[in-house]
Amino acid sequence: MAAEETQLYAKVSNKLKGRSTPLLLETLLAMGFPVHTALKALAATGRKTAEEALVWLHDHCNDPSLDDPIPQEYALFLCPTGPLLEKLQEFWRESKRQCAKNRAHEVFPHVTLCDFFTCEDQKVECLYEALKRAGDRLLGSFPVAVPLALHSSISYLGFFINGSPADVIREFAMTFATEASLLAGTSISHFWIFSQAPGHGLNLRLNNLISASFLSHYILQKYCSVKPCTKQLHLTLAHKFYPHHQRTLEQLARAIPLGHSCQWTAALYSRDMRFVHYQTLRALFQYKPQNVDELTLSPGDYIFVDPTQQDEASEGWVIGISQRTGCRGFLPENYTDRASESDTWVKHRMYTFSLATDLNSRKDSEASSRCNGEFLPQTARSLSSLQALQATVERKSVLVVRHGERVDQIFGKSWLQQCSTPDGKYYRPDLNFPCSLPRRSRGIKDFENDPPLSSCGIFQSRIAGDALLDSGIRISSVFASPALRCVQTAKLILEELKLEKKIKIRVEPGIFEWTKWEAGKTTPTLMSLEELKEANFNIDTGYRPAFPLSALLPAESYQEYVDRCTASVVQIVNTCPQDTGAILIVSHGSALDSCTRPLLGLPPRECGDFAQLVRKIPSLGMCFCEENKEEGKWELVNPPVKTLTHGANAAFNWRNWISGN
């Protein structure tokens, strides 16, 4: 940090030493974090637990603005709860469906009590105290029922609050503003004295992150000055909508029942003031950077994007800043969707106006102390490093891979006749035929409906395995369809991962191809486990499959196929209950759909749609599912490696070429 910045934080630290250090902060300081970064992490996570702040610090270890004393912006809202909130949320959904998104959809249902204001990280506890004091003072006079009157204009629709209830609510807002300004009103003008100085490093970083409008706004905010809303109190239902939608919106609003009793809460939220005028995107899929200037994405990440700073981005890409990590970089836009403005806000404390229900924030400090009192010893024992914390959130995952290119895919149904001698021996008529074939008890004819990989298929499998090795993914177990091409693909991938001797291949007939697509009226003759072992495949002979090979039905129905795949993938996942890392399933193109949808909780596709989808899946195509333990579900995320794309290479006969000239 610059000298001036160090001096500022020295003053902050000295002030903190003059009083008892909050337990949450004490926990982080005991881990060796500087006071200013610890305070920033606590403010950014709502000062709930030291564990949440620790995760935030871990995620922001490469954040270029981590040491910059940029405070959060805070606002106070009056929010409905219970049945009224449910009806308002229903209006939100229906109005968006019928009349498209409008400005009101950016924020949850609320009445604004105090506009956004800045507060230094070390003063946030003062805001909590101000909320408690204001609530306690007005609790007895707060209206039992808040009357709501519908108001409509050409660009606005909402409920107005009038009369004496509005006066009491305004008094509460003014009391909070006064208390907050008194308790947290220390000047922060030092920050701008040195941050605007020529040559200061922060100035350079801010030029890339923050718009000029933000700078001019924040320069004026030298004190924690809280401005209460003294004008017409209102709960916005729709704002800045198309005029022809007014009647529809009014009809939906009048359907909201206002007779329900409602418990109102005053909630304190914060936001990152640097990105107020940015667009907010939500990551839908996982993305691992392929270049150093790209962002890492995890499903659910929020990305701030300045529309005016996209000149450097190529088509289909945007430049954004990750809320989770604070890092800036390029990201594929089609991996994201638009999010609402308030999705990135942090909820801090709330005061519930109910004489029958005790104040949430009254017991907050006691509950927080009890929680953190238990957390500190646990942290000292089990979280000695950030790596230990990261290990606790490692997820189980399933990687489904289609086999490599098969011989008959290139040389047609008569491929076996092209490589067989009259006495039934194998020879190589083209370089894309494999060098040799494994021995089968009934001879070469059994390969006709169970073809091996081509030479290109072998290459595809090896290059995919090598890419998986580079990706750092940890394969914990491998399951393969009994088709030779699938077992070969699994073996080659394991060889490139240097795991061919450590992990045995578990052959699962339940994930074999839909038998209706197989030639003949009987299921194909597949290699036995003994034949596979003799051919030097590291097979797990002790594995009991969900579907024995003898149970495969010829020309089975689509529903029968879906049912066996579902049963098989459930057993596969349950077979490895304690494993973390990736379960590798090597099967057919159809498995990318039939083995992932059961995990995702999705119903089977229509048969026609399924057939069309499978035709488009290339060799070594992949689908990747991760278990989200927090939400109790599986999610489809970006595969750890990209696919291999290549062109066709036609056969060439030099004799024809010569004679053609």
Side-chain angles (χ1 to χ4, degrees):
M1 290 189 293
E4 298 91 341
E5 198 172 341
T6 305
Q7 292 171 7
L8 173 64
Y9 281 123
K11 292 180 180 179
V12 171
S13 182
N14 289 335
K15 289 180 181 179
L16 288 171
K17 290 177 182 177
R19 62 185 184 191
S20 60
T21 305
L23 191 55
L24 291 178
L25 178 60
E26 184 179 321
T27 301
L28 297 178
L29 296 181
M31 296 179 187
F33 292 105
V35 63
H36 63 284
T37 55
L39 286 168
K40 175 173 282 193
L42 289 171
T45 55
R47 286 182 175 255
K48 295 178 179 67
T49 66
E51 187 172 15
E52 287 186 50
L54 186 61
V55 172
W56 188 94
L57 287 166
H58 172 243
D59 288 339
H60 285 257
C61 60
N62 295 316
D63 184 349
S65 66
L66 183 61
D67 288 327
D68 297 339
I70 304 173
Q72 295 277 306
E73 246 185 352
Y74 297 82
L76 186 65
F77 302 115
L78 186 66
C79 303
T81 64
L84 178 58
L85 176 59
E86 293 175 4
K87 294 299 181 181
L88 290 170
Q89 290 172 332
E90 184 179 326
F91 171 87
W92 249 247
R93 291 189 295 268
E94 194 62 22
S95 62
K96 186 176 181 180
R97 186 184 70 83
Q98 294 192 30
C99 304
K101 188 175 182 178
N102 62 67
R103 189 71 181 89
H105 291 114
E106 292 292 336
V107 188
F108 45 80
H110 72 280
V111 178
T112 301
L113 299 182
C114 295
D115 294 329
F116 276 101
F117 60 92
T118 57
C119 179
E120 294 173 280
D121 294 339
Q122 72 272 15
K123 292 288 186 178
V124 176
E125 291 281 356
C126 298
L127 300 183
Y128 303 164
E129 178 64 23
L131 178 60
K132 180 181 182 301
R133 290 186 185 183
D136 288 349
R137 187 173 302 176
L138 275 299
L139 179 61
S141 58
F142 193 86
V144 177
V146 177
L148 301 174
L150 185 63
H151 175 81
S152 178
S153 70
I154 196 170
S155 62
Y156 176 84
L157 181 73
F159 290 124
F160 280 3
I161 303 174
N162 299 311
S164 58
D167 294 336
V168 175
I169 295 172
R170 288 194 193 93
E171 184 180 354
F172 167 75
M174 288 187 287
T175 303
F176 168 79
T178 302
E179 293 287 350
S181 297
L182 288 174
L183 293 172
T186 304
S187 171
I188 53 176
S189 56
H190 301 84
F191 166 57
W192 286 105
I193 291 174
F194 67 77
S195 68
Q196 296 301 300
H200 190 270
L202 173 61
N203 206 26
L204 297 176
R205 289 193 292 271
L206 289 175
N207 286 338
N208 292 327
L209 295 174
I210 310 172
S211 63
S213 61
F214 157 70
L215 294 175
S216 61
H217 165 75
Y218 190 63
I219 291 173
L220 299 176
Q221 300 293 325
K222 294 184 179 181
Y223 298 89
C224 181
S225 177
V226 184
K227 180 182 178 182
C229 293
T230 57
K231 297 181 180 180
Q232 175 67 64
L233 295 178
H234 56 275
L235 191 156
T236 300
L237 297 175
H239 182 42
K240 292 187 177 179
F241 49 83
Y242 292 109
H244 63 276
H245 287 153
Q246 182 179 359
R247 175 171 294 184
T248 302
L249 292 169
E250 285 181 3
Q251 291 174 346
L252 292 173
R254 290 194 179 97
I256 301 174
L258 301 179
H260 289 296
S261 60
C262 177
Q263 194 175 70
W264 293 82
T265 63
L268 187 68
Y269 283 83
S270 73
R271 68 183 182 186
D272 194 322
M273 60 190 300
R274 296 173 295 171
F275 309 117
V276 171
H277 301 295
Y278 283 46
Q279 291 180 352
T280 305
L281 304 179
R282 180 192 291 107
L284 301 175
F285 311 106
Q286 185 183 53
Y287 179 76
K288 292 186 178 181
Q290 307 299 313
N291 298 292
V292 294
D293 58 354
E294 295 176 3
L295 274 181
T296 297
L297 297 181
S298 295
D301 281 0
Y302 291 104
I303 311 297
F304 299 111
V305 174
D306 185 352
T308 66
Q309 296 183 3
Q310 302 304 313
D311 295 341
E312 301 174 40
S314 56
E315 185 177 357
W317 292 74
V318 292
I319 305 174
I321 300 170
S322 170
Q323 184 199 36
R324 181 173 60 85
T325 66
C327 296
R328 181 175 187 265
F330 292 91
L331 63 142
E333 190 172 14
N334 62 348
Y335 275 54
T336 66
D337 194 9
R338 285 293 300 271
S340 299
E341 176 186 333
S342 62
D343 287 347
T344 59
W345 295 357
V346 177
K347 189 175 185 178
H348 286 254
R349 297 293 187 272
M350 65 181 185
Y351 191 107
T352 302
F353 289 99
S354 172
L355 294 174
T357 304
D358 197 7
L359 170 67
N360 185 14
S361 60
R362 288 175 193 165
K363 297 185 177 180
D364 195 290
S365 59
E366 291 86 355
S368 179
S369 297
R370 289 194 297 271
C371 176
N372 293 313
E374 296 170 0
F375 178 78
L376 180 57
Q378 181 182 358
T379 301
R381 292 193 302 269
S382 61
L383 294 181
S384 58
S385 68
L386 292 176
Q387 288 76 15
L389 177 65
Q390 186 177 22
T392 64
V393 295
E394 190 175 1
R395 294 179 174 181
K396 184 190 292 185
S397 54
V398 173
L399 177 63
V400 185
V401 181
R402 188 194 178 195
H403 58 75
E405 180 185 270
R406 47 195 274 182
V407 172
D408 62 334
Q409 184 179 337
I410 304 302
F411 299 103
K413 295 181 179 180
S414 63
W415 72 274
L416 196 59
Q417 286 71 41
Q418 300 175 45
C419 63
S420 302
T421 62
D423 57 354
K425 293 183 178 179
Y426 173 78
Y427 76 99
R428 194 182 192 191
D430 185 281
L431 290 181
N432 203 19
F433 277 79
C435 295
S436 60
L437 295 177
R439 192 188 70 82
R440 302 182 78 146
S441 58
R442 295 175 53 183
I444 195 173
K445 64 179 181 178
D446 277 351
F447 286 108
E448 184 173 6
N449 293 322
D450 185 25
L453 294 177
S454 66
S455 294
C456 283
I458 294 171
F459 168 75
Q460 291 169 334
S461 303
R462 288 198 178 280
I463 199 170
D466 183 63
L468 287 171
L469 179 66
D470 288 342
S471 75
I473 188 173
R474 189 173 75 84
I475 301 297
S476 59
S477 53
V478 178
F479 297 81
S481 160
L484 175 59
R485 55 194 180 275
C486 298
V487 180
Q488 283 181 307
T489 302
K491 178 180 186 290
L492 295 165
I493 289 176
L494 284 173
E495 286 179 355
E496 295 303 314
L497 288 169
K498 317 301 181 187
L499 297 173
E500 71 275 14
K501 295 181 179 179
K502 297 180 181 179
I503 297 180
K504 292 185 177 182
I505 301 172
R506 299 173 182 178
V507 177
E508 177 52 71
I511 57 175
F512 182 66
E513 183 66 278
W514 184 12
T515 58
K516 181 180 178 180
W517 287 345
E518 293 295 313
K521 296 182 179 180
T522 60
T523 53
T525 303
L526 303 171
M527 292 181 69
S528 66
L529 298 185
E530 291 71 22
E531 288 176 327
L532 290 171
K533 284 185 68 67
E534 186 180 340
N536 202 29
F537 292 100
N538 190 10
I539 302 298
D540 184 354
T541 55
Y543 171 66
R544 296 184 63 182
F547 239 83
L549 192 60
S550 58
L552 287 178
L553 301 173
E556 64 191 336
S557 69
Y558 177 59
Q559 188 60 51
E560 289 171 332
Y561 164 71
V562 167
D563 288 344
R564 71 168 162 86
C565 285
T566 300
S568 299
V569 76
V570 169
Q571 174 167 313
I572 285 172
V573 172
N574 291 338
T575 300
C576 317
Q578 304 302 324
D579 290 358
T580 54
I583 300 170
L584 175 62
I585 295 178
V586 182
S587 186
H588 310 268
S590 54
L592 271 67
D593 189 73
S594 59
C595 288
T596 57
R597 291 181 76 84
L599 290 178
L600 301 172
L602 299 175
R605 296 181 191 273
E606 292 295 328
C607 183
D609 295 338
F610 171 77
Q612 290 294 329
L613 176 73
V614 172
R615 290 191 182 99
K616 300 175 184 178
I617 297 175
S619 300
L620 272 300
M622 300 181 185
C623 277
F624 194 39
C625 295
E626 274 191 350
E627 184 183 25
N628 188 331
K629 292 183 179 179
E630 295 80 7
E631 299 183 12
K633 64 180 182 180
W634 287 77
E635 300 170 334
L636 201 62
V637 297
N638 197 40
V641 299
K642 294 184 176 180
T643 54
L644 173 67
T645 305
H646 53 77
N649 195 43
F652 173 71
N653 189 317
W654 65 271
R655 295 181 185 277
N656 295 339
W657 181 70
I658 293 293
S659 62
N661 284 295

